[in-house]
Amino acid sequence: MSRILWMLLGMLWVCTPALAQSRGPHVQQVKASPTQADITPAAGRVGVEIRVVHANNSGQVDPKLKDVVDNLSFLRFSGFALLDTHHVKLGPGQKATFGLVGGSKLTVTLVSRDARAAKMRVLMTSSKGVLMDTTVNIHRNRAFMVAGPNHEGGKLVLPLAVRY
Amino acid sequence: MANELNQLLFRIRDGLATTVEVQRAHTLVMIDERLPVGLRQAIDFREDAVGDAVGLLAVLGADSLFGEVLREGIAADLAEVDEHTLEASNRDELLLEEVWPLAEAFVAAVRQEAGTIEMAAAVLDVLGLESPQLPVAEAVYDEAGVVEIAVDWHVDIEQAWVSAMVDGELPPEARHAAIRKLREDPAAGAEMTVFATLGSDLRAAVQDEAGETPYLWSGVAEGIGVDAEAVAGWDGALFAAAVRAQAGEIQLADEVMAQVVTPLPSMVEEPPPLPQPANSRRWGGLLMALAAAAVLMVALPTTWNQNTTGTAAPVAQASAQFASAGEIVVEALEHGDNSTVHQIMGDQGAVILWIDEGEAQ
């Protein structure tokens, strides 16, 4: 019986610091992963999500890209891979630049916004210079795609979603 | 997208396409990787939209070049041939292809269309063509009955030279005269089209006249005195006898079945008996519970207090709702010197700004 008591005391001695740490006043703030709510900003700013998708002939399709693949069957690529995802919140007049694969860059500027739609300027450049410079007026919580640049035997597809 | 492009090209070819449809077709051509890059860039539907559409349909295999357009092309090509050029040149060297570049391809297509049909001697005589030796023809004729096809074909005996020219059977002198006559009478081109479909028309006419024909080979074989089931050089009875002579009398059934039918392995096996524990289990449960509690007390706080640094985990991607054409307006669109941009629609209606960099990197 005494041996069991010693074991219990030993366990309590080991566990006490962890318990104190979890209940103490100096708990470190946990940085949670960004959720959908985080990119849906407060009034005035617009959340922009940019996915970098590689259309290729690998035969493997990322299930998370179903919404993209459903619109691109005419490309006749057998594989779609998600290379990267960018999230940014922009206020009117603000812009953000993202480096894409192969040295290309994408600059997104929120020109203006109202309750119905947002005016976005999208500038895509490569090592050869400007590929595209467009200004679109897109309905809130909608997305469109920029696609076509060559990449490793396939094509880059960039779905841009605007959320507010 | 391929079907949409084909439909638009047909409408353009027929002169039914609107300006918007022509532009849409141009956009689809620009991104259609079935077409060579040079062709995609050359096609603009501006100077000759109909011609562009016809050519694209032929390249894409959606339509052939034969028919009205070809006849007009042939007449246009022949109209450019100079009369003096025909007379002054060496007749032995002047070929139909020199005045009609499409002749070789056209003749090959006609021969392919006509197939290997065996024409009744009477029909061949009417057309003035040499009747081949057909030992089966008589039997087929007897089986099919009397067939009146000459009238239904609307074949003009005077136009037999057109058929002969298509088949390359005219001597050089006659060929030159035929070319001159063709230039004088563009309607003869229509007859050439008729002969291009001669084979299929003949088969259809014979079937319409004679009706559905039953299996003919047995009757034909009997008519020509051969066994309907015979295969040249093969005697099944001899083969079987040779096998028996080589193998002898063998009773295979029992031995084969003994090899084939083997006992199936049992799917259920009795597990080995578990060893009985040697130690006392009186305090085992209590100790295990205490140990588990201790692990939880140590592990959980460590997890709760974990400070995540570095890149955040990727957000679970929510499917994007793509804007339809009415939900997005492209107010400005510019491209660089080395690229072009087209606004197209995806298969589900998503708006796509397609950047064409030209040659793949």
Side-chain angles (χ1 to χ4, degrees):
Chain A
M1 192 64 172
S2 61
R3 281 194 297 175
I4 296 173
L5 288 176
W6 278 114
M7 287 176 64
L8 286 173
L9 287 173
M11 289 179 190
L12 287 175
W13 179 75
V14 170
C15 298
T16 298
L19 288 172
Q21 190 178 12
S22 67
R23 297 174 186 171
H26 303 293
V27 174
Q28 288 187 339
Q29 194 67 28
V30 175
K31 185 177 179 181
S33 301
T35 63
Q36 201 62 38
D38 289 332
I39 62 172
T40 305
R45 294 210 294 174
V46 170
V48 179
E49 175 191 86
I50 301 168
R51 288 180 281 174
V52 183
V53 178
H54 182 211
N56 52 56
N57 291 311
S58 66
Q60 298 176 344
V61 178
D62 191 329
K64 291 177 287 188
L65 298 175
K66 184 179 185 307
D67 57 333
V68 176
V69 174
D70 287 346
N71 279 285
L72 296 178
S73 60
F74 67 91
L75 288 182
R76 301 188 180 187
F77 283 107
S78 61
F80 292 85
L82 179 62
L83 301 182
D84 203 353
T85 305
H86 302 283
H87 296 102
V88 67
K89 303 175 190 177
L90 299 175
Q94 291 183 337
K95 66 180 179 181
T97 299
F98 310 97
L100 306 176
V101 293
S104 301
K105 292 183 180 179
L106 188 75
T107 301
V108 181
T109 306
L110 175 63
V111 178
S112 64
R113 53 146 284 178
D114 58 26
R116 189 189 68 85
K119 183 179 290 187
M120 309 287 300
R121 180 185 177 190
V122 180
L123 172 66
M124 186 164 186
T125 60
S126 71
S127 56
K128 297 180 181 179
V130 173
L131 293 178
M132 181 194 71
D133 188 354
T134 184
T135 301
V136 301
N137 199 312
I138 183 169
H139 197 279
R140 60 190 298 240
N141 298 320
R142 292 292 185 270
F144 69 103
M145 280 190 268
V146 176
N150 300 317
H151 177 64
E152 294 185 356
K155 298 288 186 182
L156 281 182
V157 180
L158 308 172
L160 280 83
V162 173
R163 294 193 173 95
Y164 68 98
Chain B
M1 187 185 78
N3 286 334
E4 179 186 5
L5 176 59
N6 290 353
Q7 291 174 2
L8 290 172
L9 290 176
F10 278 119
R11 288 182 58 81
I12 295 172
R13 182 201 68 180
D14 298 336
L16 302 176
T18 63
T19 303
V20 174
E21 290 176 329
V22 173
Q23 290 176 351
R24 174 67 176 168
H26 183 208
T27 299
L28 294 177
V29 165
M30 292 296 293
I31 63 174
D32 194 331
E33 296 187 347
R34 295 176 295 170
L35 303 171
V37 175
L39 179 62
R40 279 187 267 164
Q41 295 175 346
I43 296 292
D44 57 8
F45 296 101
R46 290 180 182 174
E47 295 183 2
D48 184 8
V50 174
D52 289 347
V54 170
L56 284 173
L57 287 169
V59 171
L60 295 173
D63 192 13
S64 67
L65 284 178
F66 294 99
E68 187 66 21
V69 175
L70 175 63
R71 188 181 63 78
E72 294 177 357
I74 294 171
D77 287 344
L78 292 177
E80 297 174 357
V81 176
D82 186 11
E83 177 71 30
H84 298 294
T85 302
L86 282 177
E87 294 178 350
S89 62
N90 187 338
R91 289 185 173 184
D92 291 333
E93 296 177 354
L94 181 63
L95 302 176
L96 180 62
E97 288 76 9
E98 292 183 6
V99 296
W100 184 24
L102 295 175
E104 183 176 351
F106 184 81
V107 170
V110 168
R111 288 201 171 113
Q112 182 180 1
E113 181 64 30
T116 57
I117 194 168
E118 298 172 344
M119 304 172 67
V123 174
L124 294 175
D125 289 340
V126 169
L127 294 178
L129 299 178
E130 182 179 347
S131 171
Q133 295 299 321
L134 301 171
V136 182
E138 291 296 326
V140 173
Y141 212 68
D142 291 342
E143 186 71 24
V146 177
V147 178
E148 297 293 336
I149 53 178
V151 174
D152 291 339
W153 280 1
H154 304 288
V155 174
D156 187 352
I157 297 177
E158 293 181 354
Q159 299 298 334
W161 64 267
V162 176
S163 171
M165 187 176 76
V166 169
D167 291 339
E169 295 179 354
L170 290 179
E173 296 78 11
R175 192 187 308 146
H176 302 317
I179 293 172
R180 280 196 293 275
K181 191 169 184 179
L182 190 62
R183 290 174 51 219
E184 296 168 0
D185 182 13
E191 295 298 334
M192 299 179 80
T193 303
V194 169
F195 282 103
T197 59
L198 192 62
S200 58
D201 287 347
L202 173 61
R203 287 189 287 272
V206 169
Q207 188 151 350
D208 288 344
E209 188 67 34
E212 291 293 330
T213 56
Y215 174 61
L216 294 178
W217 170 242
S218 57
V220 172
E222 183 180 357
I224 62 177
V226 299
D227 182 4
E229 303 299 329
V231 175
W234 171 259
D235 188 339
L238 286 177
F239 178 76
V243 170
R244 290 196 185 93
Q246 187 67 237
E249 292 293 329
I250 300 175
Q251 293 295 335
L252 297 176
D254 295 338
E255 293 184 10
V256 171
M257 294 308 293
Q259 292 293 327
V260 172
V261 181
T262 57
L264 293 175
S266 172
M267 299 301 293
V268 178
E269 296 181 354
E270 285 293 331
L274 292 175
Q276 294 296 322
N279 57 323
S280 171
R281 302 175 62 180
R282 183 175 182 182
W283 296 101
L286 177 60
L287 290 175
M288 288 297 291
L290 291 173
V295 169
L296 287 174
M297 289 178 185
V298 174
L300 283 180
T302 304
T303 303
W304 290 334
N305 294 331
Q306 186 177 22
N307 184 15
T308 59
T309 57
T311 57
V315 178
Q317 302 295 336
S319 295
Q321 186 170 358
F322 287 99
S324 60
E327 296 176 322
I328 181 171
V329 176
V330 179
E331 297 185 354
L333 182 60
E334 297 178 358
H335 59 87
D337 296 334
N338 297 319
S339 64
T340 56
V341 183
H342 308 279
Q343 180 179 348
I344 61 177
M345 291 178 63
D347 299 300
Q348 300 294 327
V351 172
I352 303 172
L353 298 180
W354 185 269
I355 301 174
D356 191 348
E357 292 184 285
E359 292 295 332
Q361 298 174 355

